[in-house]
Amino acid sequence: MSNKGDTRMTFKELLENEKKKDYFLQLAKFVDYEYKHYTVYPPKPMLFRSLGLTNYDHVRVVILGQDPYHEPHQANGLAFSVHQGVEIPPSLKNIYQECHDDVGIDIPDHGDLTAWAKQGVLLLNNVLSVRAHQANSHAGKGWEIFTLEVIKEINKKDTPVVFILWGKNAQSKEQYIDQSKHLILKSAHPSPLSAYRGFFGSKPFSKANRFLVEHGLEPIDWTIK
């Protein structure tokens, strides 16, 4: 369900605009160099996959991650997601467990979250690339500026959006979200290092759907088949 008042900039238009800015030109040089000289994830064609799978008009939920998985074959351009056939990472296992405990979904046997993305769940990382085996290695190079512009554009939507912010990295964007219009759900990160410090039991999936229904929007089917 989309609102006619939400005919603002599309993600494609936003990307084209940002590409012209000085910070993005410097970021692009850095990223190109990294891909040329190192192993970098996700594969370059998947850098903006999250923005391609989820249309701006259809965004109902934003789940904000830190940066892509940094081990082979994991990162696929969607925060927390991996392709089918790849072992499910620990953070995603915890997400599935909380989703099961919260809304009763069967725990999937794969980690592909494309089904969520196609329903309007934007699975956006704060930083969109990473050098192999080096978590957060592309932080502070300009990606954070770009993803903040994405958040600011979503914040302009006339229809309410649920922003799910897990961990301090994601919560750094909280100040840019209008809480009189949108809902922020925040807790500890689902990483095994922090999941027991407030992620488990936070019930973000049912809370998100309750908010969407209260505002006349379709809830998310959190089932992964």
Side-chain angles (χ1 to χ4, degrees):
M1 185 184 298
S2 63
N3 187 310
K4 292 181 179 178
D6 283 346
T7 53
R8 299 181 185 272
M9 188 181 297
T10 66
F11 287 140
K12 185 176 180 181
E13 291 168 339
L14 173 64
L15 179 57
E16 292 305 312
N17 281 1
E18 293 303 304
K19 281 182 175 179
K20 301 170 187 174
K21 297 181 179 180
D22 287 343
Y23 88 87
F24 201 100
L25 294 172
Q26 293 301 311
L27 170 63
K29 287 181 181 177
F30 167 77
V31 171
D32 286 345
Y33 181 89
E34 288 282 299
Y35 272 102
K36 186 175 180 179
H37 293 90
Y38 302 96
T39 300
V40 174
Y41 303 121
K44 202 171 186 181
M46 294 184 178
L47 275 175
F48 301 102
R49 185 166 174 250
S50 60
L51 301 179
L53 276 178
T54 307
N55 294 329
Y56 175 84
D57 283 350
H58 298 152
V59 173
R60 287 179 281 162
V61 177
V62 177
I63 296 179
L64 191 61
Q66 178 175 290
D67 64 338
Y69 295 123
H70 52 80
E71 297 302 326
H73 312 301
Q74 291 185 316
N76 68 3
L78 302 179
F80 298 105
S81 177
V82 294
H83 288 306
Q84 292 197 35
V86 176
E87 184 177 356
I88 301 173
S91 291
L92 184 53
K93 286 182 180 179
N94 288 340
I95 291 169
Y96 282 164
Q97 185 63 53
E98 177 62 18
C99 199
H100 169 75
D101 294 346
D102 184 10
V103 295
I105 70 158
D106 291 334
I107 295 178
D109 60 3
H110 67 85
D112 185 355
L113 301 180
T114 300
W116 290 0
K118 289 184 174 180
Q119 290 184 75
V121 180
L122 181 63
L123 297 161
L124 182 69
N125 278 312
N126 204 23
V127 171
L128 299 188
S129 60
V130 67
R131 192 187 293 183
H133 317 302
Q134 298 182 38
N136 234 20
S137 50
H138 285 187
K141 303 297 184 181
W143 280 128
E144 296 91 340
I145 302 172
F146 172 70
T147 52
L148 177 57
E149 290 304 312
V150 174
I151 295 298
K152 286 180 175 178
E153 199 62 34
I154 296 170
N155 185 59
K156 295 176 185 176
K157 283 174 66 74
D158 297 318
T159 48
V161 175
V162 181
F163 291 84
I164 298 177
L165 308 179
W166 290 326
K168 291 181 180 178
N169 187 283
Q171 290 162 17
S172 67
K173 297 282 201 285
E174 178 181 2
Q175 61 185 305
Y176 302 99
I177 299 167
D178 181 358
Q179 295 189 62
S180 69
K181 181 168 53 174
H182 306 300
L183 175 65
I184 293 177
L185 298 174
K186 57 183 181 176
S187 74
H189 193 276
S191 160
L193 299 174
S194 56
Y196 289 94
R197 298 203 296 266
F199 172 75
F200 287 128
S202 60
K203 301 186 181 299
F205 307 99
S206 60
K207 289 176 180 176
N209 277 351
R210 190 177 306 120
F211 178 83
L212 293 173
V213 170
E214 286 172 355
H215 289 83
L217 299 170
E218 288 289 325
I220 304 297
D221 178 1
W222 296 107
T223 305
I224 298 288
K225 296 178 180 177

